[in-house]
Amino acid sequence: MTPDQWPTAFTGRIARRLRDSRKAAGLTMAEVAQGCADRGLPEFTEHSMKNLESGRKTSITIAEVVVLADVLGVPPVTLLFPLGSSATVEVLPGREISTWDALAWFTGESPLAEPAPDGSARDILDLFRQHGDLVAAAMSSHALARDRRRAASTTLNRDRRATLLQRAEGYEEHAFEDCQELRTFRGRMRDRDLAPPSLPDELAFVDQPEPPTPTEDSE
């Protein structure tokens, strides 16, 4: 494929993914167009969709990709790269690589031989992904601790209650450590003038100030 043919081919690949996603969602072209209008993109009409799927429309904007993805209920990046249906893709003119590697490159997840330089775009992406992992860990351990404490409180057998309470305390210790790690990490993000994502309601307490540690004079 020559470089001047690549943009049209790239749009054609998106169009095929759009068509497949539209059919999988059970939507007509008119319904997709109405969905675009409902989301503030009325200029993408049923006629636009027909032209795109037929190949008469040979370009598509980022705004259109994002809105169409929301209408169809798919991640926008899956419209750009045919993950699962094609082993390789021409990610750039004359550059054919695996579809997964292309998608990972687009989202900043491509493996690097060396860590990303501090402050680089990749470094920022890595920080936010690590934050997401910490939130998931804290949510899981917090839920487990809560469930174990609830199970203990509803058990009438005294011996079993003591066992469950002991287990709950262990889970609560893990939850405390996970939440402390998350709090510290969010602090480091703010120190770098980065705004951490909002926390789930269950973890809102992580951002609350820690009570002062009692001193000998105050005891």
Side-chain angles (χ1 to χ4, degrees):
M1 186 185 303
T2 60
D4 60 326
Q5 294 173 322
W6 180 80
T8 299
F10 190 90
T11 302
R13 188 170 71 229
I14 295 173
R16 289 190 293 275
R17 298 290 285 184
L18 283 169
R19 181 193 60 214
D20 294 344
S21 298
R22 178 180 65 78
K23 291 182 177 180
L27 297 175
T28 65
M29 294 184 185
E31 288 171 334
V32 171
Q34 183 60 53
C36 290
D38 293 342
R39 289 161 175 78
L41 194 70
E43 57 268 30
F44 194 89
T45 63
E46 180 181 0
H47 189 63
S48 303
M49 194 69 184
K50 287 180 179 177
N51 284 341
L52 189 61
E53 289 194 9
S54 67
R56 290 191 296 271
K57 178 176 168 61
T58 59
S59 65
I60 187 169
T61 67
I62 293 176
E64 289 170 343
V65 169
V66 171
V67 171
L68 284 165
D70 190 59
V71 172
L72 298 171
V74 299
V77 71
T78 62
L79 297 177
L80 305 179
F81 302 105
L83 190 65
S85 62
S86 179
T88 62
V89 66
E90 190 172 1
V91 64
L92 293 170
R95 185 178 175 188
E96 187 94 8
I97 62 175
S98 82
T99 305
W100 172 247
D101 286 343
L103 190 150
W105 164 76
F106 188 84
T107 59
E109 295 174 279
S110 54
L112 298 175
E114 299 179 358
D118 289 344
S120 66
R122 172 61 192 273
D123 179 47
I124 302 302
L125 284 170
D126 287 346
L127 277 173
F128 277 82
R129 289 196 179 95
Q130 188 176 351
H131 179 273
D133 291 341
L134 291 174
V135 169
M139 284 286 291
S140 177
S141 59
H142 184 66
L144 285 170
R146 183 191 59 227
D147 292 344
R148 293 303 185 278
R149 177 66 62 174
R150 182 182 297 124
S153 67
T154 57
T155 299
L156 297 178
N157 183 285
R158 182 174 299 177
D159 292 337
R160 177 161 175 75
R161 176 183 173 84
T163 299
L164 290 176
L165 283 173
Q166 186 176 11
R167 291 178 182 175
E169 289 173 0
Y171 279 102
E172 287 165 351
E173 182 64 26
H174 284 300
F176 175 80
E177 292 172 356
D178 286 342
C179 290
Q180 281 292 95
E181 185 177 3
L182 176 59
R183 173 180 286 160
T184 300
F185 191 86
R186 288 171 69 81
R188 290 203 300 267
M189 292 179 75
R190 293 188 181 97
D191 290 342
R192 294 183 57 175
D193 293 326
L194 300 173
S198 298
L199 290 169
D201 291 342
E202 298 90 331
L203 297 180
F205 64 88
V206 169
D207 276 342
Q208 295 174 0
E210 291 188 87
T213 302
T215 62
E216 292 183 2
D217 292 338
S218 63
E219 291 179 351

Tab-separated table of all heavy atoms in Angstrom, residues 112 114-124 192:
chain	number	residue	atom	x	y	z
A	112	LEU	N	8.798	-0.870	26.712
A	112	LEU	CA	10.000	-0.096	26.434
A	112	LEU	C	11.193	-0.779	27.085
A	112	LEU	O	11.067	-1.413	28.125
A	112	LEU	CB	9.860	1.323	26.992
A	112	LEU	CG	8.733	2.175	26.399
A	112	LEU	CD1	8.656	3.504	27.140
A	112	LEU	CD2	8.980	2.424	24.916
A	114	GLU	N	13.645	0.715	28.430
A	114	GLU	CA	14.014	1.479	29.610
A	114	GLU	C	12.778	2.180	30.166
A	114	GLU	O	11.823	2.443	29.439
A	114	GLU	CB	15.086	2.519	29.257
A	114	GLU	CG	16.384	1.914	28.730
A	114	GLU	CD	17.392	2.980	28.367
A	114	GLU	OE1	17.042	4.177	28.490
A	114	GLU	OE2	18.491	2.627	27.958
A	115	PRO	N	12.771	2.491	31.469
A	115	PRO	CA	11.638	3.208	32.049
A	115	PRO	C	11.423	4.550	31.351
A	115	PRO	O	12.361	5.155	30.829
A	115	PRO	CB	12.055	3.402	33.509
A	115	PRO	CG	13.094	2.352	33.762
A	115	PRO	CD	13.803	2.167	32.461
A	116	ALA	N	10.179	4.999	31.353
A	116	ALA	CA	9.875	6.279	30.730
A	116	ALA	C	10.547	7.407	31.509
A	116	ALA	O	10.587	7.379	32.734
A	116	ALA	CB	8.364	6.492	30.701
A	117	PRO	N	11.084	8.408	30.815
A	117	PRO	CA	11.697	9.548	31.516
A	117	PRO	C	10.664	10.254	32.391
A	117	PRO	O	9.490	10.351	32.036
A	117	PRO	CB	12.162	10.452	30.365
A	117	PRO	CG	12.256	9.556	29.166
A	117	PRO	CD	11.193	8.530	29.346
A	118	ASP	N	11.100	10.738	33.537
A	118	ASP	CA	10.204	11.455	34.438
A	118	ASP	C	9.547	12.625	33.719
A	118	ASP	O	10.214	13.412	33.031
A	118	ASP	CB	10.974	11.989	35.653
A	118	ASP	CG	11.390	10.875	36.601
A	118	ASP	OD1	10.838	9.759	36.479
A	118	ASP	OD2	12.264	11.114	37.456
A	119	GLY	N	8.227	12.717	33.891
A	119	GLY	CA	7.494	13.827	33.301
A	119	GLY	C	7.070	13.619	31.865
A	119	GLY	O	6.339	14.449	31.319
A	120	SER	N	7.516	12.520	31.230
A	120	SER	CA	7.126	12.270	29.842
A	120	SER	C	5.677	11.810	29.783
A	120	SER	O	5.077	11.433	30.795
A	120	SER	CB	8.023	11.198	29.219
A	120	SER	OG	7.821	9.941	29.854
A	121	ALA	N	5.094	11.858	28.589
A	121	ALA	CA	3.700	11.430	28.422
A	121	ALA	C	3.526	9.986	28.866
A	121	ALA	O	2.531	9.631	29.508
A	121	ALA	CB	3.274	11.602	26.963
A	122	ARG	N	4.487	9.136	28.536
A	122	ARG	CA	4.397	7.726	28.935
A	122	ARG	C	4.475	7.587	30.450
A	122	ARG	O	3.776	6.774	31.056
A	122	ARG	CB	5.518	6.929	28.264
A	122	ARG	CG	5.634	5.481	28.750
A	122	ARG	CD	4.356	4.688	28.461
A	122	ARG	NE	4.361	3.438	29.153
A	122	ARG	CZ	4.894	2.301	28.687
A	122	ARG	NH1	5.479	2.292	27.522
A	122	ARG	NH2	4.822	1.192	29.379
A	123	ASP	N	5.320	8.386	31.068
A	123	ASP	CA	5.451	8.355	32.529
A	123	ASP	C	4.129	8.713	33.192
A	123	ASP	O	3.719	8.071	34.173
A	123	ASP	CB	6.549	9.327	32.957
A	123	ASP	CG	6.722	9.375	34.475
A	123	ASP	OD1	6.778	8.299	35.105
A	123	ASP	OD2	6.806	10.483	35.017
A	124	ILE	N	3.442	9.722	32.680
A	124	ILE	CA	2.154	10.138	33.244
A	124	ILE	C	1.120	9.026	33.079
A	124	ILE	O	0.360	8.702	34.006
A	124	ILE	CB	1.657	11.432	32.581
A	124	ILE	CG1	2.680	12.554	32.761
A	124	ILE	CG2	0.308	11.840	33.156
A	124	ILE	CD1	3.007	12.873	34.202
A	192	ARG	N	3.418	16.321	42.349
A	192	ARG	CA	3.891	16.539	40.980
A	192	ARG	C	2.916	17.397	40.170
A	192	ARG	O	2.990	17.459	38.956
A	192	ARG	CB	4.094	15.191	40.284
A	192	ARG	CG	5.212	14.343	40.875
A	192	ARG	CD	5.412	13.056	40.115
A	192	ARG	NE	5.687	13.273	38.705
A	192	ARG	CZ	6.000	12.319	37.846
A	192	ARG	NH1	6.118	11.063	38.284
A	192	ARG	NH2	6.220	12.581	36.578
